[in-house]
Amino acid sequence: MNVAFIDRDGTINMDYPDEVWRYINEPELLDGSLTALQNIRLKGYKIIIITNQYLLNDGIITLSQFNTFTERLIQQLNSNGVDILDIFYCPHSKKENCNCFKPKKGLIEMAINKYPDIELNKSFIVGDSISDVELGNKLGIRTFGINVDSRNFNYIKIKSLLETTKYL
């Protein structure tokens, strides 16, 4: 199975300063992200969202808030013909040093355990932070960084999720 591992906040939907997330209930899709996801699916990729959600264990948002936002995002995507295979998230604080906080491989390992037919060599990752790019490099898969600047990693720099589809 070919998978597009896609970061959530700042890649698919708007991202906000940490404290502002307390007040965010409705996902606002970034320009072109819906079209990008539709095109990624048409190219034969399953979509798995991987996201660090340290705001949970930092006490900024509740699990209920996270679940409501996520359900609304999935409904919005589904109603526009985008099927999301799964979502894996890390709820841990940055200080907890868990194995699932990107750029560590835990979220991808969870996905592979649940979906053993994932072929990493035919998959890719895209996100808007250096941790997404670093994770892609650790996995040795094609990696896209949205407005990420780094000379330390091998990746394709893009301006938006939509630009990813030019390379598929």
Side-chain angles (χ1 to χ4, degrees):
M1 172 174 31
N2 303 347
V3 173
F5 294 102
I6 303 178
D7 175 55
R8 191 186 83 174
D9 306 327
T11 302
I12 297 172
N13 55 266
M14 289 288 295
D15 197 2
Y16 305 94
D18 291 354
E19 290 296 324
V20 174
W21 274 103
R22 290 184 198 277
Y23 311 104
I24 303 300
N25 298 309
E26 289 292 329
E28 183 180 341
L29 296 181
L30 292 170
D31 286 344
S33 66
L34 185 59
T35 301
L37 294 171
Q38 291 166 337
N39 289 340
I40 288 167
R41 290 287 295 127
L42 287 173
K43 297 277 188 178
Y45 291 89
K46 302 287 187 187
I47 297 172
I48 294 178
I49 296 173
I50 54 170
T51 179
N52 286 341
Q53 292 295 321
Y54 59 87
L55 300 177
L56 287 163
N57 281 15
D58 283 353
I60 295 171
I61 63 170
T62 65
L63 185 57
S64 176
Q65 286 173 298
F66 170 78
N67 287 333
T68 298
F69 182 92
T70 301
E71 288 166 15
R72 289 176 178 169
L73 175 63
I74 296 304
Q75 286 171 356
Q76 195 172 354
L77 296 175
N78 286 345
S79 68
N80 286 283
V82 176
D83 179 43
I84 301 297
L85 179 62
D86 216 328
I87 298 175
F88 294 91
Y89 69 96
C90 171
H92 304 108
S93 171
K94 294 176 184 179
K95 302 176 281 223
E96 290 181 69
N97 197 29
C98 65
N99 188 43
C100 54
F101 195 89
K102 294 183 292 179
K104 292 183 180 174
K105 298 179 186 179
L107 295 176
I108 303 298
E109 291 167 351
M110 285 182 230
I112 291 170
N113 285 335
K114 187 170 180 181
Y115 305 100
D117 55 339
I118 290 174
E119 296 183 68
L120 279 181
N121 61 333
K122 296 180 181 175
S123 300
F124 68 90
I125 185 170
V126 58
D128 69 322
S129 73
I130 197 70
S131 65
D132 298 307
V133 169
E134 186 177 346
L135 174 58
N137 277 229
K138 284 181 179 180
L139 296 168
I141 64 174
R142 191 164 27 163
T143 302
F144 298 92
I146 299 172
N147 298 318
V148 174
D149 288 311
S150 174
R151 294 174 197 209
N152 299 326
F153 299 104
N154 181 24
Y155 68 102
I156 300 166
K157 184 177 179 179
I158 55 176
K159 291 185 170 75
S160 70
L161 182 58
L162 185 57
E163 196 176 336
T164 305
T165 59
K166 292 193 301 191
Y167 297 92
L168 303 180

